[in-house]
Amino acid sequence: DKARASNQPAKEATPDQEAEGTQKNGEQFPKGAEPLHFLQCHSKGNSREDFKTQLWSCVFEPLLDCGARKGETVATCGGESVCLIDCETGVVLKKYKVATEEFFSVAWTTLPMVNSDSRKKSHNILAAAGRRGIVKLIHVAADFCYGEIKAHKKPIATVCFSPTQETHLFTASYDKRIALWDIGIPDCDYNFKASQLLVLESFSVPLRIALVPTCPEQYLLAGCEEGCFTWNIKLEKEQKNRPFEVTFQFPDEEGEMTTSHRVDGLAFLNDDVVASKSSKPGCIYLWSWSRSFDTKGKGCQRTVSAVILAELEWSTTDLSYLTLSTCPAKEHVFCGDEKGSVWIYNLSNYTTAWSSAKAKRSDKRIPPTQILKWPELQSNGDHLSEILINNVITDPTFTYLVALTSVNITAIWKKS
């Protein structure tokens, strides 16, 4: 089912914002983007009346060496289903449903699997997890969920794969633990063996996790219900259950430094700059990982102040779990709001200055380069309103922007 969209143009940036946000290579996205598809494909029981199912996580399928896909396929999850969508055509290519589940997170990895003829071939595997604490492993090309890992006894908030170890999967749960699993490589009969490698202990629920780009096998960063923490995840250490190494302090609304605040948005903008969003209204922090985290510090469970480089101007809503994303290749940050808008920040003019060890914090909040407004949508003649953007991402080529909403709508824009 599709909701009908009036093809209103996206809001243009003001001349000042446009000048401030122009990329080094002259490209900009999604200025001039057009709304392409608005899909209602996660409906409970396939009901076209379902505008209540919340959509939470989306990620683009990696390109395989054989080029079987064009990089236009996105996996989305929410409610009882996981969908694979062709962004160009709007066709839902595949749909995986578990009637007793509510999916919160999806992540891709590429495994060198052995075919029936004993030859190795790369295949994309999708991991999906949610309320039941179980990770489903799906071989998408074969339309087959070949296994599951009973990872936690409480819901899993988010999952992510290591960028350097294709079988290493992190699961962050409401049991206040982050687990590292080796999911193994299935044989031609889909037999596989999963094993738990690490358990990271947290004092609060982990909501977002990110591996540090310069050392993805050594440090993991997590935004939690009650703060921002990092752990040493190096597998050479014998200790399997580990406390956090550091908790980071951020300014509260009165300017006082505090560790007790919800961090519901977290992603690396580049190798060093972290974008994080807490419950402080109207603000997304940009801060330096290397200048904040001193590896020479003594002992675990230290408290350090985040070295903040700048603040991004954002919505003043006090609603939580409207997460942010980044596109490191294009130096952009994206975040949806409580009105169905997508805030877009082109930060290419700032990142060079921030790379200096002497870089000072910007005095003024950086405004969005562009705010992509939600178009008019109608269903059975009624306008859809009160739309929260729970998640928003772009594909690696910067052609498509996908936003997930609180009203069971997957929205896709395309650069015109």
Side-chain angles (χ1 to χ4, degrees), residues 151-172:
H152 300 268
K153 292 182 179 179
K154 289 193 174 181
I156 295 172
T158 188
V159 298
C160 79
F161 279 99
S162 165
T164 55
Q165 300 289 332
E166 67 269 9
T167 62
H168 286 189
L169 175 71
F170 290 88
T171 58

Side-chain angles (χ1 to χ4, degrees), residues 276-322:
S276 67
K277 183 173 74 67
S278 66
S279 50
K280 178 182 176 182
C283 165
I284 295 171
Y285 286 121
L286 297 176
W287 51 285
S288 168
W289 159 260
S290 61
R291 293 168 64 187
S292 303
F293 182 69
D294 179 10
T295 56
K296 298 177 183 178
K298 297 179 180 179
C300 290
Q301 300 190 354
R302 293 178 290 129
T303 299
V304 300
S305 296
V307 177
I308 296 172
L309 304 170
E311 293 183 15
L312 303 182
E313 177 187 315
W314 185 67
S315 169
T316 56
T317 180
D318 58 359
L319 290 172
S320 299
Y321 314 127
L322 309 179

